[in-house]
Amino acid sequence: MAVIRSERPLGWRDIAAVATGEPLHLSGDARARIRAARELVEQIVVRGIRAYGVNTGVGALCDVVVSPAEQHDLSHNILMSHAVGVGAPLGREETRAIIAAAINNFAHGHSGVRVELVERLAALLDADCLPEVPAFGSVGYLSHMAHIALVCVGAGHVRWRGERLTGAEALRRLGLAPLSLEAKEGLSVVNGTPCVTGLAALALHRAERLLDWADVVSAMSFENLGGQMAAFDAQSLGFRVSPGLERVGARMRAVLDGSGLIASAFGRRTQDPLSMRTIPHVHGAARDVFEASADVVNRELESTTDNPIVSGTLDAPRVFSQAHAVGASIALAMDSLAAAMAQVAAMAERRLDRLVNPLVSGLPAFLAHAGGTHSGFMIAQYTAASLVAQNRRDAAPASLDGGVTSGLQEDHLCHATPAALKALAVIENSSRILAIELLAAAQAYDLQPIDAPRAPYTDALYAWLRTVVTTYRDDRPLADDMTIAFRLIADGGPPLLPDPQAVCVSGRPPLASTDLPGDCRALAAANTAFRAAIGC
C-alpha cells in the first residue's frame, strides 16, 4: 500500500514501510507547500535579505556574502564538498528510509527547494534506483544526504537491478535529466535530520520485532529451566508501575499457559535466577524505552529540521538561520534504544549459559548428543558472549562524543546519525544472540529429561522451528543453523503472540497454533495481517 505524504507528516511506521519497499507519493497539498516555500526563497534572493547558505557562505563562512550570480555555484559546491562519506555503503532499507525522511521534511514547506528536486528523490525511490551512500563520515548529518543528492545532479553512483551505475547513467536510463541546483538547494539537500530520522525509524521497526521475539524465546528457556510462574504473577507485577512490564508479564502468562513442564517444576525453588525472574522487568523496561524513543522520532518527523527555515509571506518573507538541524533529542533517544536492546540481549546470553551448563540446567552438558565426542552448543555460547561484549562497546553513548568543527563555529556536536547507526548494529547483534538462544531452547526440548508436555504456544513454536532447522548432532556447521535462525528473527515477527491487550482491543482471540503457516514468509505475512486487523 502506497504511503502518502499529505497534510499529515509521516510517522515512523510510514518511514519503515517505505524503507521496506512501499512506494511514497506526494499529495497535491504537499506539492503546493513546497512551491510556496520556493517562492519565499526567490523573494529573499531578489530583496537581498541575508539568509545563511542562500546568499552567504556556510559554517565558519556564514558572514561571507555571496552575490546572486554566485548562488548556483554555492549550491553546487556545497553538495560536492559535503559528499565526504567513507566506508561500506548503507543497505537498501537504510537508504530508502533516509530518502523518505528527507521528502517528508521538504514537504513541511519551510525548506525552499523546488518541487522538481523533491520529485526527483521520489522517482529514485519509486524505481528502487538507490544512491550509494557511505555509512561513515557524519558527526550529525550532511554527508549521507550529500551522497544521495549527488545522483540528482548526475554525479555519484547508484545500485539498480544488480548493477552499479554512475548517477548520470542511472538518470539516463530513467529518462531523466540532471538537475542544476539553485539558491539554497545545495544547503537544504545536505541539511537537517532526515538521515538520523530515517535510520531511527528503521531501528524502531527492527527493535519492535526483536522485543516480540525476546518474549517468546525467553519463555522457551524459562520452560526448559523449570521456572517459577510466580515471577509473572499479575498482582505481584502490579506493584511496579510500567506499561511495558505489565504487557510482558501478561504475554509470559499467556505463552506458558498449560505447560506441563512448568507445572512439574512448581515449588522447586523459592525464586529463580535474575535472568529468568526479571524477564518482565528487563523486557518491559526496554519496551518503555522503545515507546519513548518512538515518540521522539515521530516528533522529529513532525518538525522542520532545516537551517535556515523560511516562513512568512511573499510581502514579508522571514528567515530563521538558527539550529533546528541539530538532532540532540533523537541522538539521545537512539543511545537509549541501543542500551535497552543491549540489555535484553545480555540477559538472553545469561539464560543461554544456563541452558548449556549442566550444573544448573538438569540437561545434558552443552545440549550435546553423546557428550564427550560432541560439543553441542558449547562454542555457540562463546559467540553470544562475544556479541554481548560488542554490544557493550556499541552501546556507549554517541551523543556525548562531542568535538569541534568548522573553525569553532560548530563547537558542539551531538553525533545523532552515528547514534542511530550504532543502535542498528546493536539490534542486529541482539537478534543474533536471540537466534542462538532460540536454537538452544529448541535443542533443550529435544533433550528434556522430564516427561511433561510443553505449553501449546511453545509447542507450536518448537514444531514450526523444527520444520526449518533440525536437531543439532554436531553433524554440520552450527553457524549455518545460527544464520537461519537469525533470518527468522530479522525478517519477520514470531508466530502470533497471545496478547491479552490485543484480545481486549479486537474482541477476538489470537490465531490458534494449529492455524500457524509452516512457511516462515507466510507466517510473517499472517502475523502482520493479524496485527493490522486488530489495530496493534
Side-chain angles (χ1 to χ4, degrees), residues 212-224:
D212 283 347
W213 274 106
D215 290 344
V216 300
V217 173
S218 65
M220 294 171 71
S221 295
F222 189 91
E223 188 176 32
N224 271 301

Side-chain angles (χ1 to χ4, degrees), residues 260-315:
L261 288 170
I262 293 292
S264 68
F266 178 76
R268 185 186 300 169
R269 289 183 291 272
T270 302
Q271 61 176 211
D272 291 311
L274 285 171
S275 62
M276 296 169 64
R277 62 184 158 99
T278 64
I279 291 170
H281 302 76
V282 174
H283 292 193
R287 286 185 179 275
D288 290 342
V289 169
F290 172 89
E291 294 296 339
S293 300
D295 286 343
V296 171
V297 176
N298 280 336
R299 289 198 301 270
E300 199 77 6
L301 288 165
E302 292 170 4
S303 304
T304 300
T305 63
D306 205 342
N307 177 29
I309 288 171
V310 296
S311 187
T313 65
L314 293 178
D315 292 332

